Amino acid sequence: MVEFNGWDMPVEYPASIGCGIVSEHMAVRTGVGIFDVSHMGDIRLSGPGALDAVQHISMNDAARLAVGQAQYSALLYPEGTFVDDVIVHRLGQDDYLLVINAGTREKDFSWVRDNTRQFNCRVEHLSDDFTQIAIQGPKGVNLLQKLTDANLSAVKFYWVTRGTVCGLRDILIGRTGYSAEDGFEIYIPADEATSARVWNEILEAGKEFGVVPCGLGARNTLRLEGSLSLYGHEISDTINVWEAGLDRFCKMEKPDFIGRPALEKARAAGLKKTLVGVEMVDRGIARDGYKVLDDSGSEIGYVTSGSPAPFLKKNIALAYVPTEHAAIGSTVKIEIRGQGVKAQVIPIPFYKRPKKS
């Protein structure tokens, strides 16, 4: 167990029950694993001005969301850098739920509240109202279907529904996740007895699918293989949207939003550094914070996230480098214990889940 933003969180579960980071990672890629992600935060905006408020504070276009749909987005500072990345769910006509990161919960809520005062909407901090459990992996749908009356096959990726789960009525079920796999996230009442009962019922129902509980370690390696950004690593208050390579989620054509003028200027000025994927060529593991060097040994960038990739069976990393070193196939070096170890820039995401035939 480790302290994680005020929560006691498992890095991995014991090998004695078939777990460990690699086993947990592989279970999600090939079967199903479950995560307690109750540390994630939740902010609800509701009322006649809710859409305008969400549009003002987030970079994606929430007007495109149908009721029951979700989208990846981000809250930006006026400089075009990140307050946090978020998942925006449209729960009703004027009802939106923002799922935010654990380490930024209080900062995010204060920022959302302060920047939506001019809109006719109610802003609620619901982070302690839910226990959130993620059921991730290709067999996740089979597992969860045993426990709910909701027709999960009718729920598309990045859509939500409601149903009875483990006897609990009107539970929010999102076909979302942070593992680069198919999967679901459920939001149940936060009391300890209910949370423990549901967690254990999921594990019991999932035995036929080989379900395992998964900790922070597998969550990190799974999202790295999928090249999914993590606040404080790939995104932060010093990185802008273009540098982070999240252009496709930033809708510059929609009405004005916080950060847009700065992003227009940054785009006109041209990109100087960018996030790239790196595969180690020589033996070595690139870890978070390691220096990226050019062929002459000069420091040119840094690793944001690095690890062995259990499913891909190679050592990979995400790193910021100057654009002139970002072309696919470019060679760089990662400084490991004082030595420059050869690596190569490769396309991201490192892993994409197979499409259903």
Side-chain angles (χ1 to χ4, degrees):
M1 302 290 284
V2 297
E3 192 281 330
F4 183 76
N5 296 307
W7 296 73
D8 289 328
M9 299 285 293
V11 174
E12 59 185 339
Y13 286 84
S16 59
I17 59 171
C19 295
I21 292 175
V22 173
S23 296
E24 294 164 24
H25 183 112
M26 294 303 292
V28 173
R29 284 281 178 261
T30 61
V32 58
I34 64 171
F35 302 79
D36 180 354
V37 287
S38 303
H39 54 291
M40 301 295 287
D42 307 279
I43 301 173
R44 183 182 184 186
L45 294 93
S46 58
L51 174 58
D52 289 340
V54 174
Q55 290 287 67
H56 178 63
I57 61 172
S58 64
M59 69 179 191
N60 208 332
D61 188 358
R64 298 183 180 187
L65 291 174
V67 173
Q69 196 172 11
Q71 69 181 191
Y72 180 82
S73 189
L75 314 175
L76 303 178
Y77 288 114
E79 295 79 11
T81 59
F82 293 89
V83 179
D84 196 9
D85 60 346
V86 299
I87 303 295
V88 178
H89 303 75
R90 188 180 182 190
L91 303 182
Q93 185 65 33
D94 299 311
D95 192 357
Y96 295 84
L97 182 71
L98 277 55
V99 176
I100 58 179
N101 281 301
T104 55
R105 294 196 332 177
E106 301 307 320
K107 179 190 74 170
D108 287 4
F109 177 71
S110 296
W111 189 89
V112 171
R113 180 195 58 204
D114 293 347
N115 286 282
T116 56
R117 293 187 191 282
Q118 68 269 43
F119 299 98
N120 182 17
C121 71
R122 183 180 183 187
V123 180
E124 300 171 88
H125 195 179
L126 304 181
S127 297
D128 293 329
D129 288 18
F130 301 113
T131 285
Q132 186 178 341
I133 298 175
I135 302 151
Q136 298 287 296
K139 296 180 182 177
V141 62
N142 308 94
L143 192 169
L144 186 58
Q145 192 64 77
K146 292 177 64 178
L147 301 170
T148 181
D149 62 355
N151 179 11
L152 299 181
S153 63
V155 182
K156 297 178 183 177
F157 194 54
Y158 265 72
W159 284 75
V160 298
T161 190
R162 288 186 179 274
T164 297
V165 177
C166 296
L168 301 168
R169 294 180 179 177
D170 198 31
I171 296 300
L172 182 66
I173 306 167
R175 197 160 196 166
T176 52
Y178 193 52
S179 65
E181 286 299 337
D182 187 19
F184 295 85
E185 295 176 294
I186 62 173
Y187 301 75
I188 63 175
D191 69 275
E192 187 171 344
T194 300
S195 302
R197 177 179 67 80
V198 172
W199 176 264
N200 289 328
E201 287 188 20
I202 295 172
L203 285 176
E204 181 64 28
K207 283 183 177 178
E208 65 176 293
F209 307 113
V211 66
V212 297
C214 303
L216 290 175
R219 188 169 172 81
N220 189 54
T221 54
L222 287 160
R223 72 96 190 165
L224 176 58
E225 279 189 342
S227 305
L228 302 174
S229 295
L230 175 63
Y231 189 84
H233 293 251
E234 287 73 40
I235 61 174
S236 73
D237 58 3
T238 63
I239 299 293
N240 73 37
V241 174
W242 314 136
E243 293 166 338
L246 296 176
D247 313 30
R248 64 191 184 280
F249 301 108
C250 184
K251 306 306 181 188
M252 297 292 280
E253 69 278 11
K254 77 168 189 173
D256 196 23
F257 58 94
I258 296 174
R260 178 179 173 179
L263 290 176
E264 289 176 340
K265 289 182 180 179
R267 186 160 61 181
L271 202 59
K272 295 180 175 56
K273 64 177 179 182
T274 190
L275 188 70
V276 297
V278 168
E279 178 183 350
M280 299 304 298
V281 175
D282 293 335
R283 189 173 181 178
I285 300 172
R287 298 292 187 184
D288 304 13
Y290 281 12
K291 297 176 182 175
V292 180
L293 314 175
D294 64 14
D295 287 339
S296 68
S298 298
E299 181 178 350
I300 58 171
Y302 61 97
V303 173
T304 56
S305 303
S307 170
F311 184 78
L312 300 175
K313 301 188 187 310
K314 54 188 180 182
N315 296 330
I316 58 173
L318 294 169
Y320 276 105
V321 299
T323 52
E324 59 267 30
H325 293 273
I328 303 302
S330 298
T331 56
V332 295
K333 293 179 180 177
I334 308 297
E335 187 178 277
I336 301 174
R337 299 188 185 92
Q339 302 294 318
V341 180
K342 187 177 179 181
Q344 186 174 48
V345 176
I346 64 172
I348 51 176
F350 302 110
Y351 169 84
K352 279 186 178 179
R353 66 183 166 101
K355 292 183 179 179
K356 292 182 179 179
S357 56

